[in-house]
Amino acid sequence: MSPEGKKLLNIVILGFGFMFMFTAFQTCGNIEQTVIKSFNSTEFHGSGYTSMAIIYGVFSASNLIAPSVVTVIGPQLSMFFSGLLYSGYIAMFIYPYTWSFYTASVFVGIGAAVLWTAQGNVLAINSTDNTIGRNSGIFWALLQFSLFFGNLYIYCAWHGHDHITDKDRQTVFISLTVISLVGCFLFFLIRKPDPEPAPAEAAESLLQAESTESSSTASSPHSGLCTQALDAFVKACKMFGTNEMMLLSISIGYTGLELTFYSGVYGTCIGAMTQFGKDAKSLIGISGICIGIGEILGGGVFGMLNKCNRFGRNPVVLLGLITHFVAFYLIFLNIASDAPIAPEAGTDLQAYITPNLGVALLCSFLLGLGDSCFNTQLLSIIGFLFRDNSAPAFAVFKFIQSIMAALAFFYSNYLLLHWQLLILVVTGFLGSMTFFMAEGLAESTRRESDYDSI
């Protein structure tokens, strides 16, 4: 197999591994608040929103050390061990206790930081400037198939159920745990890509540098690992201060806020609308499928087909912003304001129009499509601007995204729907404007690179 073919195969395997893992985890996140409300045990007092806030809070803090972990043990083992922590969190729902619920949330936060930093590193080292957009799209589309399969299973398993029994819960979460473990073991199929040939005039100095580095590492291997880990940590901290990352931080923060909304809050809102009938709980699965279709479509069109390179990334982000604004307006009109914090019995309140299931599912699709627009372009621009320091760059990306997601899960316990939508609208507009500025810097960098290569 050619070196380029091997890199493409690595990206496909990476996508399938994440597809299996997040078929389990995203489905878990989408239904856990609804499941918790239906627990028969009075000894359990956890909150799905609080758990997610803990996960993303720990996730954000752990991103500061994640590059060091990936540097020391490598991206493959990093993803495998992180995946085991995800599987443990899902398995906890088979026999849940409050203490194990929140303890598992902490461990998943740590594992998530390492997992996504390693994923960014694998994506970057298996891509070039010409293939980073395509590879980002392939990975994103495969990842988002998880929303389709997991939520289809939930719909079939819970269709016709107005209450989730213990047996229903245990059957679902045993299945999800097995699916997550399959994804973990797929990471062992990823192979290290062949190194790119060095320019002839630099070959001699490169060999000398490698010889010096290998001899020093051989004389003190533990010292070498500590130095690498410290260097990765320092690079991640310094990257916060770069102009490009400061501009992208608002866009990244917005993806964290809307991640919380589409993956946790909106499904709960649909399940709480009694006007949608007694099958409203199973409609959470249908909503997740619609989100997944939007994500897959966006990842395929704007990433895998890579049709927008000649126009840059800005048109895709602008489309994502418009798509989200349309979805937010329709949700504001269609869903009751107290739906995010309604009890298990649901809400009988009505918004500004008669609740319409078709409009609600259209909004799910638009949320997924807009999210894919933002995320594929952020993956692409970060992989391009920070290709030589991909692990620290993606750690910073996930740090910002996860801390905003944690904040959103925290306020989702208290804020009515219209206030949550207002926060998303303001942050989305500001994030898009700063992304356009960052894309201008990226285009300048590309022109300088092209000029230097002449």
Side-chain angles (χ1 to χ4, degrees):
M1 183 180 292
S2 66
E4 181 59 32
K6 184 184 292 186
K7 289 181 177 181
L8 180 58
L9 180 61
N10 283 342
I11 296 296
V12 172
I13 294 172
L14 180 71
F16 272 106
F18 271 71
M19 182 186 76
F20 276 95
M21 276 186 55
F22 282 87
T23 290
F25 184 74
Q26 290 198 114
T27 304
C28 173
N30 203 21
I31 65 175
E32 69 175 43
Q33 183 68 8
T34 301
V35 168
I36 287 171
K37 288 179 181 179
S38 66
F39 277 164
N40 294 325
S41 173
T42 57
E43 297 178 0
F44 188 91
H45 304 289
S47 164
Y49 290 153
T50 302
S51 168
M52 286 294 175
I54 292 171
I55 288 173
Y56 284 102
V58 175
F59 185 0
S60 62
S62 300
N63 274 297
L64 298 176
I65 62 169
S68 302
V69 175
V70 175
T71 299
V72 172
I73 69 174
Q76 192 175 54
L77 287 177
S78 297
M79 292 189 294
F80 174 73
F81 288 119
S82 299
L84 293 182
L85 295 177
Y86 273 77
S87 302
Y89 177 83
I90 297 165
M92 182 279 311
F93 280 93
I94 300 171
Y95 294 104
Y97 296 95
T98 305
W99 67 268
S100 62
F101 181 45
Y102 289 132
T103 301
S105 301
V106 172
F107 284 119
V108 168
I110 297 170
V114 176
L115 177 76
W116 284 102
T117 300
Q119 175 271 332
N121 182 240
V122 172
L123 179 65
I125 63 178
N126 284 281
S127 303
T128 65
D129 293 346
N130 294 326
T131 62
I132 184 66
R134 179 202 68 187
N135 290 349
S136 297
I138 292 173
F139 170 77
W140 193 255
L142 288 171
L143 169 64
Q144 298 308 328
F145 267 106
S146 61
L147 286 168
F148 181 83
F149 294 122
N151 287 289
L152 180 62
Y153 172 61
I154 291 299
Y155 176 75
C156 294
W158 290 358
H159 183 63
H161 292 209
D162 55 358
H163 178 77
I164 310 305
T165 66
D166 288 345
K167 183 178 180 181
D168 293 334
R169 184 192 74 246
Q170 290 167 356
T171 301
V172 165
F173 282 100
I174 289 172
S175 302
L176 294 180
T177 302
V178 173
I179 292 169
S180 178
L181 289 171
V182 171
C184 294
F185 285 96
L186 279 177
F187 295 136
F188 286 116
L189 298 178
I190 295 175
R191 292 291 174 260
K192 187 175 182 180
D194 297 329
E196 296 181 6
E201 61 271 16
E204 184 176 350
S205 61
L206 181 61
L207 288 172
Q208 290 175 352
E210 288 179 347
S211 176
T212 303
E213 182 180 348
S214 61
S215 62
S216 62
T217 303
S219 62
S220 182
H222 297 293
S223 176
L225 289 176
C226 291
T227 301
Q228 290 176 355
L230 180 62
D231 183 55
F233 175 77
V234 171
K235 285 180 179 178
C237 293
K238 287 183 176 179
M239 210 160 281
F240 274 108
T242 62
N243 292 333
E244 295 87 351
M245 191 59 75
M246 289 179 70
L247 287 172
L248 290 172
S249 62
I250 301 179
S251 306
I252 296 169
Y254 171 66
T255 63
L257 296 179
E258 53 101 7
L259 166 68
T260 294
F261 187 77
Y262 82 75
S263 67
V265 176
Y266 189 57
T268 301
C269 290
I270 290 178
M273 294 293 289
T274 57
Q275 294 93 333
F276 292 154
K278 68 176 184 178
D279 281 347
K281 299 260 187 314
S282 66
L283 292 176
I284 297 173
I286 296 296
S287 172
I289 291 172
C290 293
I291 292 171
I293 292 172
E295 295 275 13
I296 295 163
L297 178 63
V301 172
F302 304 123
M304 188 163 54
L305 298 182
N306 210 21
K307 294 294 186 182
C308 298
N309 270 357
R310 59 184 293 191
F311 303 110
R313 302 174 182 89
N314 287 346
V316 181
V317 171
L318 180 60
L319 176 62
L321 179 67
I322 295 171
T323 302
H324 272 173
F325 277 12
V326 171
F328 297 155
Y329 179 66
L330 292 176
I331 292 169
F332 175 73
L333 295 177
N334 194 48
I335 302 295
S337 62
D338 68 334
I341 55 176
E344 186 195 2
T347 176
D348 294 322
L349 294 182
Q350 184 172 311
Y352 294 92
I353 62 174
T354 302
N356 185 292
L357 180 58
V359 172
L361 297 181
L362 172 63
C363 292
S364 299
F365 170 79
L366 294 176
L367 288 174
L369 179 62
D371 181 68
S372 70
C373 291
F374 277 96
N375 275 284
T376 55
Q377 302 316 299
L378 282 169
L379 288 173
S380 176
I381 195 172
I382 291 174
F384 171 74
L385 289 172
F386 304 103
R387 188 178 170 214
D388 294 334
N389 294 299
S390 59
F394 281 100
V396 173
F397 169 47
K398 284 299 175 180
F399 172 81
I400 299 169
Q401 187 182 63
S402 56
I403 201 169
M404 295 305 291
L407 175 64
F409 273 114
F410 175 76
Y411 68 60
S412 295
N413 278 306
Y414 308 102
L415 291 185
L416 296 175
L417 181 62
H418 58 272
W419 293 116
Q420 296 190 39
L421 292 173
L422 178 61
I423 292 171
L424 288 167
V425 167
V426 173
T427 312
F429 177 78
L430 294 176
S432 298
M433 296 304 105
T434 54
F435 183 94
F436 298 155
M437 297 169 66
E439 173 68 1
L441 293 178
E443 187 61 30
S444 299
T445 302
R446 187 193 301 274
R447 289 197 198 99
E448 291 174 5
S449 177
D450 292 342
Y451 178 80
D452 291 341
S453 64
I454 296 176

